[in-house]
Amino acid sequence: MFDQNIKRIKNQRGFTMMELMISLTFISFLLIFIVVMTLRVAQMYNKGTTLKSINQASRTVVEQIARDISESKRIEYTEASSGNVVALCTDNASYLWNPIKLLHTTNSSLNEVKYKSPDTSTTIYLVRSTSVWSYCGNDRDKLAYERSINQEMLSSSAAVADIKIKKLGGTKLYRLDVSLGTPDRNGYVSGNEGEECRQGVQGDFCAITAFSRIIYAPGAP
């Protein structure tokens, strides 16, 4: 009986080096597949939450601006000579913003909207100020540092691609176009219709949402 057990043990074979290599290769491919799928799912989730956030922000911005325009008798849309600082002024509030093309730039000649001291380093994406008509003149690039009158309308997850307001002929109708996007300037190129997402961008997700609204302003001239 003892001899038979010894023979049985001798006849049992372990894994060969080739079998171990095949097993490790299979496990490695499996782990890589799991990691890649996890990253893709995370990326899809980030894209979904980013789009949802930008859509919600766009609706809020359009509703607020449309309300101020509809209740105003005087509406002005001004732009600096460089074409970089933009302001919309109504009887209820003034709006100032920095377009996406200004973000993350090192060009000192671009006229970026900044807070007056002590908060000059804070990036301004879109601000609604109840200091009416103050920013449709020469000081529109110097936003007063008064939180009580200034409302930040965008978080750091969204920025202004473009905001336009146009009066339709001799009517009391105005067309409002609002385009918001992700704030990474490197993800965009300037196209015929304004800022567009660069093709083949890797890493940060690029997206732009555009909303239009026809507004009736009965008190406007």
Side-chain angles (χ1 to χ4, degrees):
M1 180 67 66
F2 181 73
D3 292 339
Q4 291 178 351
N5 290 335
I6 293 176
K7 290 181 179 179
R8 187 180 299 112
I9 293 173
K10 289 182 177 180
N11 290 331
Q12 291 179 349
R13 297 176 56 213
F15 291 107
T16 65
M17 184 63 68
M18 182 62 69
E19 291 172 336
L20 286 174
M21 292 180 63
I22 293 174
S23 300
L24 290 175
T25 302
F26 174 77
I27 293 173
S28 299
F29 277 115
L30 182 61
L31 291 176
I32 292 173
F33 175 78
I34 293 173
V35 170
V36 170
M37 290 304 297
T38 301
L39 292 176
R40 287 186 177 179
V41 170
Q43 187 180 40
M44 291 176 63
Y45 175 79
N46 289 335
K47 288 182 179 182
T49 54
T50 299
L51 283 172
K52 181 179 179 181
S53 175
I54 294 177
N55 282 330
Q56 289 177 342
S58 299
R59 292 190 183 94
T60 301
V61 170
V62 169
E63 290 295 334
Q64 183 63 70
I65 296 178
R67 186 180 303 114
D68 286 335
I69 291 176
S70 65
E71 296 174 356
S72 297
K73 295 181 180 179
R74 180 182 172 190
I75 302 163
E76 289 186 9
Y77 174 84
T78 62
E79 189 170 338
S81 57
S82 61
N84 295 314
V85 176
V86 225
L88 170 64
C89 297
T90 69
D91 289 339
N92 293 333
S94 299
Y95 293 86
L96 289 92
W97 61 89
N98 289 314
I100 287 174
K101 61 184 175 182
L102 279 180
L103 302 180
H104 311 298
T105 182
T106 57
N107 189 343
S108 60
S109 65
L110 297 180
N111 198 11
E112 184 177 0
V113 178
K114 289 286 189 181
Y115 278 113
K116 292 180 179 178
S117 59
D119 199 16
T120 58
S121 61
T122 300
T123 299
I124 294 176
Y125 295 98
L126 173 63
V127 172
R128 179 182 185 269
S129 175
T130 53
S131 180
V132 182
W133 304 112
S134 299
Y135 303 113
C136 282
N138 295 327
D139 293 332
R140 57 182 172 270
D141 59 335
K142 301 295 183 183
L143 185 63
Y145 181 69
E146 298 179 39
R147 296 298 186 184
S148 60
I149 64 173
N150 296 327
Q151 175 190 359
E152 302 278 356
M153 300 196 69
L154 295 178
S155 66
S156 59
S157 61
V160 175
D162 198 10
I163 296 178
K164 293 180 180 179
I165 178 72
K166 180 181 180 181
K167 187 173 183 179
L168 301 180
T171 68
K172 296 181 180 292
L173 298 177
Y174 289 81
R175 178 186 172 94
L176 173 66
D177 296 299
V178 174
S179 298
L180 302 184
T182 46
D184 181 13
R185 176 65 185 91
N186 296 325
Y188 296 90
V189 293
S190 295
N192 295 331
E193 301 298 328
E195 297 298 305
E196 300 175 354
C197 284
R198 187 188 303 275
Q199 297 297 320
V201 174
Q202 301 296 324
D204 292 337
F205 175 58
C206 174
I208 291 181
T209 61
F211 286 80
S212 296
R213 177 73 62 84
I214 302 298
I215 307 162
Y216 176 57

